[in-house]
DNA sequence: GTCTATAGACGGATAGAC
DNA sequence: GTCTATCCGTCTATAGAC
């Protein structure tokens, strides 16, 4: 089953919009990328803005799926935190690296993040999507994990909100760095490891 | 001495570009903001792109001035770190807050950051400017301060590069957050204080 | 659902009067 | 150094044939 032209248009539009922004990309360019003529686009979408809206809808539905799978019965951090009952540094590093790699290399996530980075100041809805998906939601997740680890006596007691921020914000900054300059990924990953190892020394029992 | 039309054009262009991006802003809009007709713009700049370049030049020269004043004889972190010889939490919080407030409220810095945030993916030069001015340069400065504080025995010895990242990345993330949603500034400042207080407990002697 | 042709608006930029 | 008038290209979008 080959993918529909409509899906194809969404994919190519996302690629183009995420690199140069909505305004800099013309309907003709999208059509060229898809391999059709510009007016044919309008058989699938009523306007260029409509394509953008479809991208956002796709993003929202993927985000909803993802958070649903993360918190099956309320919290899955319990599952994740369970992994750490017996173990130390390496698994914390793994948690950070997998978060980093997902955000950086998942094609859709990565392109949507760039798109929202570029378009965030155009309206508050876009800004909120960016903030929720790439800051508040990971912070909240990380915080729940630390709350559990503290309860189990595996981490020193402290302010879990601040701990989550101190754990996650370097990941966030290195992501922004790698989005701007992909050549720095190796360097970023190495710093990420050192950060988490150090974080562990500071906070784990 | 009233400011020249040329400077006025640069200022209004920066304001518009930083909100909606280069491509979404027309020369007519810039002219309207300045209070002249669109063709008059071309007596001061040979193209719209030329206005953008002038903004970047202004940014670079301000950045050069700023870093020159920071490291008068090589390092001013010595001066800054000098402030911390006798004192503790409050002054660290002050250092973080002043960094945060400068970045967030200095009108030019704030607009340039938004502009580079929006335009960074269009070419590598813009991406590098963003990375250097808002990540690498503050990290380097902070690292020098921590190296000095460690040498003086005021902080526990450790990896100053990672310490700088752990100190600064929450500031960076909260800046990105406030750029996207200015209503969260109070909340951000409060978290910043808790972060620095906590950071101090972890790292200071 | 694709195409060609084209409408209609708007973009950046220039010419030339004052 | 500002204006009016205007050129010309490109843009989004529609009409209508196949």
């Amino acid at each position: 089953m080959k993918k529909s032209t409509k899906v194809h248009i969404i994919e190519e539009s996302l690629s183009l919009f995420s690199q140069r922004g909505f305004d800099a990309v013309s309907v003709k360019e999208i059509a060229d990328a898809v391999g059709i003529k510009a007016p044919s686009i309008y058989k699938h979408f009523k306007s260029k803005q409509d394509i953008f809206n479809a991208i956002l809808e796709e993003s929202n539905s993927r985000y909803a799926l993802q958070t649903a799978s993360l918190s099956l019965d309320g919290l899955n951090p319990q599952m994740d935190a369970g992994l750490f009952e017996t173990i130390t540094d390496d698994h914390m590093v793994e948690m950070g690296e997998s978060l980093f790699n997902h955000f950086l290399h998942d094609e859709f996530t990565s392109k949507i993040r760039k798109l929202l980075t570029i378009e965030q100041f155009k309206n508050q809805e876009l800004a909120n999507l960016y903030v929720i998906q790439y800051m508040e939601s990971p912070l909240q997740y990380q915080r729940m994990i630390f709350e559990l680890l503290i309860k189990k006596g595996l981490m020193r007691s402290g302010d879990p909100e601040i701990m989550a921020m101190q754990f996650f914000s370097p990941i966030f900054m290195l992501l922004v760095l790698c989005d701007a300059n992909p050549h720095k990924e190796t360097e970023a990953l190495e710093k990420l490891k050192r950060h988490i190892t150090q974080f562990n020394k500071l906070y784990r029992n």
Side-chain angles (χ1 to χ4, degrees), chain A:
Chain A
M1 168 178 152
K2 65 175 187 188
K3 67 188 157 198
S4 72
T5 305
K6 186 158 185 168
V7 170
H8 199 172
I9 292 170
I10 291 179
E11 287 174 357
E12 296 295 342
S13 298
L14 174 54
S15 287
L16 290 165
F17 290 161
S18 68
Q19 287 173 57
R20 312 209 322 269
F22 180 82
D23 296 288
V25 174
S26 72
V27 175
K28 184 182 183 308
E29 283 176 292
I30 296 169
D32 286 348
V34 172
I36 57 178
K37 299 292 176 183
S40 302
I41 296 278
Y42 292 89
K43 293 291 172 182
H44 303 276
F45 298 93
K46 73 171 203 291
S47 67
K48 183 184 168 189
Q49 183 63 48
D50 200 36
I51 302 175
F52 188 85
N53 296 341
I55 291 173
L56 284 193
E57 273 172 39
E58 176 68 16
S59 169
N60 284 336
S61 80
R62 289 199 192 206
Y63 177 73
L65 275 177
Q66 185 207 339
T67 54
S69 81
L70 272 181
S71 55
L72 273 173
D73 1 328
L75 318 153
N76 157 289
Q78 272 183 331
M79 221 186 70
D80 281 15
L83 294 171
F84 301 104
E85 291 209 34
T86 50
I87 16 166
T88 41
D89 278 28
D90 286 352
H91 286 81
M92 286 284 278
V93 170
E94 208 186 321
M95 178 168 72
E97 274 186 322
S98 79
L99 195 59
F100 184 76
N101 278 319
H102 167 72
F103 276 143
L104 192 61
H105 290 129
D106 180 88
E107 213 180 319
F108 192 84
T109 301
S110 163
K111 284 175 183 172
I112 287 285
R113 184 178 60 256
K114 286 181 187 173
L115 179 63
L116 292 176
T117 300
I118 290 178
E119 304 291 342
Q120 64 178 314
F121 302 133
K122 287 197 184 139
N123 72 65
Q124 196 56 51
E125 187 204 341
L126 295 174
N128 288 340
L129 278 180
Y130 178 67
V131 165
I132 290 171
Q133 291 195 32
Y134 300 106
M135 285 183 257
E136 294 184 347
S137 171
L139 279 171
Q140 196 188 350
Y141 181 79
Q142 205 57 243
R143 174 186 165 170
M144 288 191 291
I145 288 184
F146 290 151
E147 280 170 350
L148 273 164
L149 289 172
I150 290 169
K151 229 178 241 168
K152 289 184 178 170
L154 292 164
M155 289 189 100
R156 294 187 197 156
S157 65
D159 184 338
E161 197 176 10
I162 296 306
M163 286 164 67
M165 188 167 78
Q166 289 177 340
F167 181 85
F168 177 71
S169 65
I171 297 178
F172 177 81
M173 192 181 70
L174 292 171
L175 270 173
V176 175
L177 174 71
C178 289
D179 279 344
N181 191 342
H183 290 109
K184 304 218 172 179
E185 184 182 339
T186 313
E187 184 190 329
L189 260 173
E190 180 256 339
K191 276 185 191 164
L192 179 61
K193 278 184 203 168
R194 283 199 275 150
H195 154 57
I196 297 176
T197 307
Q198 180 73 0
F199 182 89
N200 256 2
K201 278 191 195 135
L202 295 168
Y203 279 116
R204 292 210 68 182
N205 281 328

